Amino acid sequence: LGEATGVDRVYMFENHYEGDKAYTSYKMEWNSGIFPAQINNPKLQNIPFNQVKVFIEPLMRNEAIKAQVGDFEDGWDKETLLEQGILSILVLPIFVGGVFWGCVGFDECKTERNWTEDEFSILKTFSNSIAEAIERKASIEFERNFLRILQDQFSQQNNIVEQQNLQLPTKLETFLQSTLGEKRDVATVKDLTKTFEDNNKYVLIDPNHIQDYIQALDKSINEFASQVDYTLSESNATTFFDVELVD
């Protein structure tokens, strides 16, 4: 995506909340290689929202930022952007489950750039795909927890059945002793043993096919988790769209 749009950086910020305070941190970056990467810039980690109000407030209203950095009000926001060599910027918010999760941004460092509607539309689609992937990944965590509960409960019931069946030989011997005493012929013992086991052996009944559901859910989670991780991967930022922008 960075190569297709000709920008110098594509990156993602993720927010985190501590009580009534909110912070945002630079988490991922694609870089054209022309200008320095910022992924290890300490100034871009744990930035308090109140330190970047001019920058963050439009995003909190689910509004994009399309601007020339020179037009920003003087302050920490503008100073930090200029330190990175940014001349033009496009930033789109990411909302997950109605909560302001973070943002994805695009830096133009070579020249001041007026972002076209086509470019904005492409980048907006990209940010939406990230939001959907993050939201789905959160739902996968819920499904994983649910799967673990099902697996634990099913395993516990299996253990109960196994423990009960381990006692069958002792119970069978008691039954045979009380029924036949010491005088036993093979055919009678065989018949009584089968009857006893048929009537006393524990079997886990699964009328709702929970075991099949567990296996299907496990497969679904693993497959979708792989897809989500791919969507969120840094390498995918360069291949997510195959586009050609025309002036």
Side-chain angles (χ1 to χ4, degrees), residues 19-32:
D20 60 350
K21 296 182 179 179
Y23 305 84
T24 192
S25 295
Y26 201 83
K27 290 294 187 180
M28 185 182 294
E29 176 184 344
W30 173 88
N31 191 288
S32 66

PDB file of all heavy atoms in Angstrom, residues 19-32:
ATOM      1  N   GLY A  19      -7.233   4.104  33.935  1.00  0.00           N
ATOM      2  CA  GLY A  19      -8.149   4.937  34.708  1.00  0.00           C
ATOM      3  C   GLY A  19      -8.799   5.973  33.815  1.00  0.00           C
ATOM      4  O   GLY A  19      -9.362   5.650  32.774  1.00  0.00           O
ATOM      5  N   ASP A  20      -8.677   7.241  34.206  1.00  0.00           N
ATOM      6  CA  ASP A  20      -9.272   8.303  33.396  1.00  0.00           C
ATOM      7  C   ASP A  20      -8.265   8.927  32.445  1.00  0.00           C
ATOM      8  O   ASP A  20      -8.531   9.961  31.833  1.00  0.00           O
ATOM      9  CB  ASP A  20      -9.862   9.384  34.307  1.00  0.00           C
ATOM     10  CG  ASP A  20      -8.810  10.017  35.217  1.00  0.00           C
ATOM     11  OD1 ASP A  20      -7.672   9.488  35.278  1.00  0.00           O
ATOM     12  OD2 ASP A  20      -9.114  11.041  35.860  1.00  0.00           O
ATOM     13  N   LYS A  21      -7.099   8.294  32.287  1.00  0.00           N
ATOM     14  CA  LYS A  21      -6.062   8.812  31.387  1.00  0.00           C
ATOM     15  C   LYS A  21      -5.929   7.913  30.166  1.00  0.00           C
ATOM     16  O   LYS A  21      -6.118   6.702  30.246  1.00  0.00           O
ATOM     17  CB  LYS A  21      -4.725   8.910  32.122  1.00  0.00           C
ATOM     18  CG  LYS A  21      -4.743   9.904  33.278  1.00  0.00           C
ATOM     19  CD  LYS A  21      -3.387  10.003  33.954  1.00  0.00           C
ATOM     20  CE  LYS A  21      -3.414  11.011  35.101  1.00  0.00           C
ATOM     21  NZ  LYS A  21      -2.105  11.111  35.787  1.00  0.00           N
ATOM     22  N   ALA A  22      -5.612   8.543  29.032  1.00  0.00           N
ATOM     23  CA  ALA A  22      -5.491   7.802  27.781  1.00  0.00           C
ATOM     24  C   ALA A  22      -4.152   8.126  27.122  1.00  0.00           C
ATOM     25  O   ALA A  22      -3.667   9.266  27.188  1.00  0.00           O
ATOM     26  CB  ALA A  22      -6.643   8.159  26.841  1.00  0.00           C
ATOM     27  N   TYR A  23      -3.573   7.113  26.495  1.00  0.00           N
ATOM     28  CA  TYR A  23      -2.274   7.254  25.849  1.00  0.00           C
ATOM     29  C   TYR A  23      -2.321   6.564  24.487  1.00  0.00           C
ATOM     30  O   TYR A  23      -3.155   5.695  24.240  1.00  0.00           O
ATOM     31  CB  TYR A  23      -1.175   6.591  26.692  1.00  0.00           C
ATOM     32  CG  TYR A  23      -1.101   7.092  28.118  1.00  0.00           C
ATOM     33  CD1 TYR A  23      -1.925   6.555  29.111  1.00  0.00           C
ATOM     34  CD2 TYR A  23      -0.198   8.090  28.475  1.00  0.00           C
ATOM     35  CE1 TYR A  23      -1.860   7.005  30.418  1.00  0.00           C
ATOM     36  CE2 TYR A  23      -0.127   8.552  29.787  1.00  0.00           C
ATOM     37  CZ  TYR A  23      -0.957   8.003  30.754  1.00  0.00           C
ATOM     38  OH  TYR A  23      -0.887   8.451  32.039  1.00  0.00           O
ATOM     39  N   THR A  24      -1.403   6.947  23.619  1.00  0.00           N
ATOM     40  CA  THR A  24      -1.282   6.283  22.330  1.00  0.00           C
ATOM     41  C   THR A  24       0.186   6.023  22.034  1.00  0.00           C
ATOM     42  O   THR A  24       1.054   6.795  22.457  1.00  0.00           O
ATOM     43  CB  THR A  24      -1.944   7.117  21.206  1.00  0.00           C
ATOM     44  OG1 THR A  24      -2.046   6.322  20.024  1.00  0.00           O
ATOM     45  CG2 THR A  24      -1.162   8.396  20.918  1.00  0.00           C
ATOM     46  N   SER A  25       0.457   4.904  21.346  1.00  0.00           N
ATOM     47  CA  SER A  25       1.841   4.507  21.066  1.00  0.00           C
ATOM     48  C   SER A  25       1.973   4.019  19.622  1.00  0.00           C
ATOM     49  O   SER A  25       1.086   3.369  19.078  1.00  0.00           O
ATOM     50  CB  SER A  25       2.292   3.394  22.013  1.00  0.00           C
ATOM     51  OG  SER A  25       2.338   3.848  23.350  1.00  0.00           O
ATOM     52  N   TYR A  26       3.124   4.331  19.047  1.00  0.00           N
ATOM     53  CA  TYR A  26       3.488   3.935  17.680  1.00  0.00           C
ATOM     54  C   TYR A  26       3.832   2.452  17.700  1.00  0.00           C
ATOM     55  O   TYR A  26       4.750   2.022  18.369  1.00  0.00           O
ATOM     56  CB  TYR A  26       4.715   4.758  17.288  1.00  0.00           C
ATOM     57  CG  TYR A  26       5.012   4.933  15.826  1.00  0.00           C
ATOM     58  CD1 TYR A  26       4.375   5.921  15.086  1.00  0.00           C
ATOM     59  CD2 TYR A  26       5.992   4.170  15.186  1.00  0.00           C
ATOM     60  CE1 TYR A  26       4.704   6.145  13.754  1.00  0.00           C
ATOM     61  CE2 TYR A  26       6.318   4.380  13.859  1.00  0.00           C
ATOM     62  CZ  TYR A  26       5.668   5.366  13.141  1.00  0.00           C
ATOM     63  OH  TYR A  26       5.996   5.577  11.824  1.00  0.00           O
ATOM     64  N   LYS A  27       3.071   1.632  16.942  1.00  0.00           N
ATOM     65  CA  LYS A  27       3.204   0.182  17.069  1.00  0.00           C
ATOM     66  C   LYS A  27       3.734  -0.516  15.821  1.00  0.00           C
ATOM     67  O   LYS A  27       4.270  -1.615  15.903  1.00  0.00           O
ATOM     68  CB  LYS A  27       1.847  -0.428  17.433  1.00  0.00           C
ATOM     69  CG  LYS A  27       1.388  -0.110  18.842  1.00  0.00           C
ATOM     70  CD  LYS A  27       2.305  -0.744  19.872  1.00  0.00           C
ATOM     71  CE  LYS A  27       1.774  -0.581  21.282  1.00  0.00           C
ATOM     72  NZ  LYS A  27       2.648  -1.191  22.286  1.00  0.00           N
ATOM     73  N   MET A  28       3.566   0.066  14.658  1.00  0.00           N
ATOM     74  CA  MET A  28       3.931  -0.638  13.435  1.00  0.00           C
ATOM     75  C   MET A  28       4.266   0.379  12.349  1.00  0.00           C
ATOM     76  O   MET A  28       3.675   1.459  12.306  1.00  0.00           O
ATOM     77  CB  MET A  28       2.762  -1.522  12.990  1.00  0.00           C
ATOM     78  CG  MET A  28       3.041  -2.401  11.796  1.00  0.00           C
ATOM     79  SD  MET A  28       1.565  -3.367  11.332  1.00  0.00           S
ATOM     80  CE  MET A  28       1.416  -4.426  12.778  1.00  0.00           C
ATOM     81  N   GLU A  29       5.214   0.038  11.494  1.00  0.00           N
ATOM     82  CA  GLU A  29       5.594   0.986  10.445  1.00  0.00           C
ATOM     83  C   GLU A  29       6.079   0.276   9.191  1.00  0.00           C
ATOM     84  O   GLU A  29       6.817  -0.709   9.257  1.00  0.00           O
ATOM     85  CB  GLU A  29       6.707   1.918  10.951  1.00  0.00           C
ATOM     86  CG  GLU A  29       7.223   2.879   9.883  1.00  0.00           C
ATOM     87  CD  GLU A  29       8.386   3.739  10.369  1.00  0.00           C
ATOM     88  OE1 GLU A  29       8.596   3.810  11.605  1.00  0.00           O
ATOM     89  OE2 GLU A  29       9.083   4.324   9.523  1.00  0.00           O
ATOM     90  N   TRP A  30       5.622   0.772   8.058  1.00  0.00           N
ATOM     91  CA  TRP A  30       6.249   0.478   6.766  1.00  0.00           C
ATOM     92  C   TRP A  30       6.968   1.741   6.336  1.00  0.00           C
ATOM     93  O   TRP A  30       6.448   2.845   6.498  1.00  0.00           O
ATOM     94  CB  TRP A  30       5.207   0.093   5.712  1.00  0.00           C
ATOM     95  CG  TRP A  30       5.823  -0.039   4.341  1.00  0.00           C
ATOM     96  CD1 TRP A  30       6.383  -1.143   3.786  1.00  0.00           C
ATOM     97  CD2 TRP A  30       5.962   1.002   3.364  1.00  0.00           C
ATOM     98  NE1 TRP A  30       6.867  -0.876   2.541  1.00  0.00           N
ATOM     99  CE2 TRP A  30       6.624   0.449   2.250  1.00  0.00           C
ATOM    100  CE3 TRP A  30       5.604   2.353   3.323  1.00  0.00           C
ATOM    101  CZ2 TRP A  30       6.927   1.193   1.109  1.00  0.00           C
ATOM    102  CZ3 TRP A  30       5.905   3.094   2.186  1.00  0.00           C
ATOM    103  CH2 TRP A  30       6.560   2.514   1.095  1.00  0.00           C
ATOM    104  N   ASN A  31       8.154   1.581   5.785  1.00  0.00           N
ATOM    105  CA  ASN A  31       8.968   2.746   5.427  1.00  0.00           C
ATOM    106  C   ASN A  31       9.498   2.584   4.007  1.00  0.00           C
ATOM    107  O   ASN A  31       9.925   1.489   3.616  1.00  0.00           O
ATOM    108  CB  ASN A  31      10.125   2.888   6.418  1.00  0.00           C
ATOM    109  CG  ASN A  31      10.859   4.198   6.280  1.00  0.00           C
ATOM    110  OD1 ASN A  31      11.579   4.405   5.315  1.00  0.00           O
ATOM    111  ND2 ASN A  31      10.684   5.084   7.243  1.00  0.00           N
ATOM    112  N   SER A  32       9.498   3.667   3.260  1.00  0.00           N
ATOM    113  CA  SER A  32       9.977   3.621   1.876  1.00  0.00           C
ATOM    114  C   SER A  32      11.484   3.467   1.796  1.00  0.00           C
ATOM    115  O   SER A  32      12.029   3.130   0.746  1.00  0.00           O
ATOM    116  CB  SER A  32       9.565   4.901   1.145  1.00  0.00           C
ATOM    117  OG  SER A  32      10.243   6.026   1.704  1.00  0.00           O
TER     118      SER A  32
END
